Amino acid sequence: MKNKVKNLREQFGLSQAQLGEKVSVSRQAINAIENNKFDPSIWLAYDLAKFFNLSIEEIFDFEESERK
Amino acid sequence: MSLLKQPIINIIFIGFMSVIYSFIFIFTAGHMEFVSILSHRETLNSSFWNGWSDFLRTGNMRFIGYLIIGLTIAIIVFILIKKRKKYDEYQVSILSKSLLVAGTLSILMIPFMMILLLSDSNYAVETIFLFASVQWISVLVSYLIYVIKF
């Protein structure tokens, strides 16, 4: 699923490891999400949205999702 | 699959399966009854299969058992050193996919081995041992790469 995690992370000046720490996942998980290799659970999506102070839909592009 | 989040569950699973495999490989190595069911007549004109059969007959399969024990200890040590927290959902998804592949291969091999045994029992034991060796060592090596990487 396409998402804006990479852009948002860079705007916040964080590394993948730092963002991972903020939402309690590994650097590899953040990397996989940014590269659209892994769709996070609703809970992780919620944690990311909460951290960036946005809604889930503003970060993740459900309209373009292959699962739709 | 949420059980896979716990490093201890991974240790128990890998440890338990490796104990069974290594016991089979070490205990049956050179065992007279086991040696007697191997293909002694060399009916197949294949240096690979006859070499593998010789390898099993001479009891060298115990070294596969030792290799399994060594890899398992390395995995457990890496888990204990590196992994104090639970695995996250991405890591669990990779682990579950790996186990799904290993499980699917095992399930597919059951009818394949039945066909093998029913159609021609020559070299069937050798084939089963080769599959068991390759399958479990592949699982252990991929697990080891996984615990080193994460």
Side-chain angles (χ1 to χ4, degrees):
Chain A
M1 194 188 331
K2 286 181 183 172
N3 62 77
K4 296 174 188 158
V5 173
K6 188 177 181 182
N7 289 341
L8 290 165
R9 175 178 63 77
E10 286 171 351
Q11 279 175 28
F12 276 68
L14 296 170
S15 67
Q16 289 179 338
Q18 286 168 329
L19 177 58
E21 262 180 46
K22 301 279 184 194
V23 292
S24 305
V25 293
S26 61
R27 180 195 64 75
Q28 290 90 347
I30 298 297
N31 183 56
I33 292 167
E34 287 184 358
N35 291 304
N36 305 319
K37 290 180 185 167
F38 175 65
D39 288 342
S41 68
I42 190 72
W43 296 108
L44 178 52
Y46 171 77
D47 286 343
L48 285 165
K50 197 174 170 189
F51 176 75
F52 290 126
N53 207 20
L54 295 167
S55 67
I56 292 174
E57 291 91 336
E58 285 175 294
I59 301 175
F60 295 94
D61 193 349
F62 289 88
E63 293 299 321
E64 294 284 319
S65 172
E66 288 175 8
R67 290 175 66 179
K68 195 175 181 192
Chain B
M1 287 300 173
S2 59
L3 276 176
L4 290 174
K5 280 186 176 179
Q6 307 284 349
I8 189 70
I9 296 294
N10 287 276
I11 290 174
I12 291 168
F13 171 70
I14 286 288
F16 177 71
M17 291 304 293
S18 288
V19 163
I20 294 172
Y21 273 108
S22 56
F23 173 77
I24 293 168
F25 279 97
I26 294 168
F27 180 75
T28 53
H31 202 276
M32 275 178 65
E33 284 166 350
F34 170 69
V35 170
S36 68
I37 58 173
L38 294 169
S39 298
H40 290 270
R41 285 177 292 171
E42 301 196 351
T43 50
L44 201 62
N45 186 21
S46 162
S47 55
F48 171 76
W49 284 111
N50 290 321
W52 175 243
S53 191
D54 276 342
F55 181 83
L56 297 178
R57 202 176 300 144
T58 48
N60 287 324
M61 56 193 278
R62 70 166 60 89
F63 296 113
I64 298 174
Y66 298 146
L67 178 64
I68 287 172
I69 292 171
L71 285 169
T72 306
I73 290 169
I75 290 166
I76 292 171
V77 166
F78 269 105
I79 290 176
L80 291 175
I81 291 171
K82 291 187 70 178
K83 204 68 204 173
R84 297 188 191 281
K85 290 189 291 184
K86 286 180 182 178
Y87 290 101
D88 67 33
E89 60 185 59
Y90 173 63
Q91 293 164 336
V92 168
S93 79
I94 293 177
L95 261 180
S96 56
K97 279 177 196 164
S98 308
L99 291 177
L100 192 68
V101 171
T104 306
L105 280 175
S106 303
I107 290 166
L108 287 173
M109 280 310 289
I110 293 170
F112 177 77
M113 284 173 184
M114 284 180 76
I115 292 168
L116 189 80
L117 279 165
L118 292 170
S119 59
D120 182 9
S121 59
N122 285 323
Y123 295 91
V125 176
E126 283 89 340
T127 310
I128 291 167
F129 267 88
L130 182 67
F131 169 72
S133 310
V134 171
Q135 193 231 18
W136 193 243
I137 287 173
S138 302
V139 169
L140 291 178
V141 169
S142 49
Y143 233 101
L144 186 61
I145 293 168
Y146 175 84
V147 293
I148 291 170
K149 196 175 168 187
F150 292 109

